[in-house]
Amino acid sequence: MATLELRNLEKHYGGVHAVDGIDLAIADGEFLAILGPSGCGKSTTMRMIAGLEPPTKGDILIGGEVVTHLPPRLRNVSMVFQSYALYPHMSVAENIAFPLKVRRVARAEREQKVQWVAKLMGVERLLQRRPARLSGGEKQKVALARALVRDPTLFIFDEPLSSLDAKVRAMARSELRLLHDRTGITTVYVTHDQLEALGMGDRIAVMEGGRVRQVGTPQELYAHPADTFVASFLGTPPMNLLEREGHVLGFRPEFVHLAGAAGASADALRLQAKIVELEFLGADWQMYAHVGDEANPQKLLARMQPPEASALHVGDAVELAVERVHLRHFDKATGRRIAADGD
Ligand code: ADP
């Protein structure tokens, strides 16, 4: 196990600053999710940590030691990608044993370790099969077993679940997290899926344009986003952002209520709104409304629970309320949060 530290890490491809100065410290045994849209520099960062790409600038430390210029094999980092890249002509057992074979580990020890990880990942009965005869979820488990067998000090996952269908993905997600909790191996998990990051990470680093926008626990980032980018990237549906005189006002859709029904307090924000659409989502309703100037309205989204929602109709004019503690304020020009009451 080990800590991981990135110091002012940069990677340029010609004029493109794929990674533009990242500082991150990851604790021993921590599970850090790196979240960001496509092209924000996540993969490039991971490739530099694994040693597959030299940085233009900055340093990488594993377990307190500078590894910036060490080749991959001396870093003991295990990387699992979206494509599992299992060797098709080898059995599952041979696939799992491969990293040990490369390291010239003796046969008896190899077999013992393969049995151990196969048991840990629940793939013992698949050991003699070829990859072509495995389901997506099984391939993923085998890829994990292969990554795990070499006893890595650091795990890097780069969108490892994105090729699985939704149901298998949810299962694989909790399995991966369990695997981490059992082994305690420091893990960096790259994803563009905010639900994965929220559900799995001890902490999340949100990236955009080659930089880290914010680092914190999922709860911190959700409740106190550092800027409008983080505010709208985390959460489905995203935070409402309304333009106000000089600033931007943010609040989550689940904190919007009918002013009358909810018994809103005297100093709650009140909004006159017109309902434009109601969408039934099963457990609750999603309400789309317009607020402000009718000629140039601003859009608002609310999550309404059944008792409140049953009184609503498209076209209704309603008064909505949001308690002050749930309001977030952002600078209009920079998008950065402005500290204010309850924030
Ligand atoms: P992500 O993993 O977040 O989708 P990447 O790290 O793959 O983002 O890419 C970040 C940026 O760097 C993108 O603009 C991408 O086009 C660019 N980039 C990545 N690899 C190369 C490369 N080998 N040559 C030139 N540009 C690259």
Side-chain angles (χ1 to χ4, degrees):
M1 287 196 277
T3 54
L4 169 67
E5 204 182 321
L6 309 181
R7 289 186 187 162
N8 193 24
L9 199 62
E10 291 189 24
K11 179 73 192 183
H12 308 169
Y13 295 108
V16 179
H17 289 203
V19 175
D20 202 15
I22 289 188
D23 286 292
L24 260 183
I26 298 152
D28 187 19
E30 188 176 20
F31 191 117
L32 182 89
I34 297 208
L35 174 69
S38 178
C40 73
K42 304 183 294 296
S43 294
T44 306
T45 307
M46 294 312 109
R47 292 164 57 76
M48 288 193 282
I49 297 171
L52 304 173
E53 192 98 63
T56 308
K57 231 181 177 178
D59 272 313
I60 299 163
L61 289 83
I62 298 178
E65 285 187 32
V66 178
V67 299
T68 318
H69 301 290
L70 286 187
R73 68 193 159 78
L74 295 181
R75 299 190 187 197
N76 205 18
V77 173
S78 241
M79 195 156 170
V80 179
F81 298 94
Q82 173 183 345
S83 55
Y84 310 119
L86 297 176
Y87 304 110
H89 58 286
M90 292 184 191
S91 69
V92 166
E94 287 163 341
N95 262 284
I96 297 176
F98 191 74
L100 301 178
K101 214 169 171 183
V102 171
R103 289 168 180 230
R104 299 172 200 274
V105 173
R107 175 186 282 265
E109 189 185 341
R110 256 178 9 226
E111 282 175 2
Q112 197 186 2
K113 282 204 145 172
V114 168
Q115 286 299 330
W116 168 73
V117 286
K119 193 158 177 230
L120 190 69
M121 296 306 305
V123 295
E124 301 123 293
R125 62 185 179 82
L126 306 175
L127 284 173
Q128 298 319 316
R129 281 204 208 161
R130 291 280 167 94
R133 292 187 47 228
L134 301 175
S135 71
E138 288 167 343
K139 276 186 204 159
Q140 199 244 356
K141 284 186 190 177
V142 173
L144 282 177
R146 188 178 58 182
L148 195 60
V149 78
R150 41 184 278 208
D151 236 340
T153 41
L154 187 68
F155 249 146
I156 292 178
F157 294 109
D158 193 349
E159 308 257 6
L161 309 183
S162 38
S163 61
L164 301 178
D165 66 47
K167 244 190 194 152
V168 185
R169 198 151 81 200
M171 245 166 55
R173 207 191 287 170
S174 65
E175 228 160 63
L176 244 172
R177 181 64 227 204
L178 271 175
L179 173 71
H180 171 265
D181 295 347
R182 265 183 306 205
T183 59
I185 297 171
T186 312
T187 298
V188 185
Y189 185 98
V190 168
T191 180
H192 66 274
D193 179 343
Q194 48 107 18
L195 278 180
E196 259 179 37
L198 285 173
M200 298 173 83
D202 293 323
R203 287 189 304 155
I204 302 174
V206 178
M207 276 186 74
E208 203 252 343
R211 295 192 176 175
V212 173
R213 289 281 186 133
Q214 190 176 6
V215 192
T217 65
Q219 292 79 5
E220 276 163 5
L221 266 58
Y222 188 80
H224 303 285
D227 58 28
T228 47
F229 179 82
V230 178
S232 43
F233 203 76
L234 281 177
T236 25
M239 187 178 262
N240 288 297
L241 296 171
L242 299 183
E243 298 254 334
R244 285 290 184 261
E245 196 72 29
H247 74 289
V248 174
L249 190 62
F251 48 89
R252 296 267 172 213
E254 61 270 32
F255 296 131
V256 180
H257 295 285
L258 291 175
S265 57
D267 70 342
L269 168 79
R270 281 157 201 274
L271 296 161
Q272 306 306 321
K274 191 166 178 196
I275 302 176
V276 293
E277 201 186 328
L278 286 163
E279 210 173 69
F280 180 55
L281 297 179
D284 52 17
W285 292 74
Q286 191 149 281
M287 181 183 87
Y288 297 80
H290 283 171
V291 296
D293 185 3
E294 263 192 46
N296 188 19
Q298 295 196 58
K299 289 184 183 143
L300 178 146
L301 250 166
R303 232 35 209 263
M304 301 299 238
Q305 300 299 311
E308 256 185 303
S310 60
L312 303 174
H313 303 95
V314 171
D316 284 356
V318 289
E319 188 180 34
L320 302 173
V322 185
E323 296 297 334
R324 297 238 158 233
V325 288
H326 299 310
L327 298 180
R328 302 291 175 261
H329 306 267
F330 302 96
D331 185 278
K332 209 175 208 164
T334 63
R336 303 290 300 172
R337 198 177 73 226
I338 310 164
D341 291 349
D343 205 355

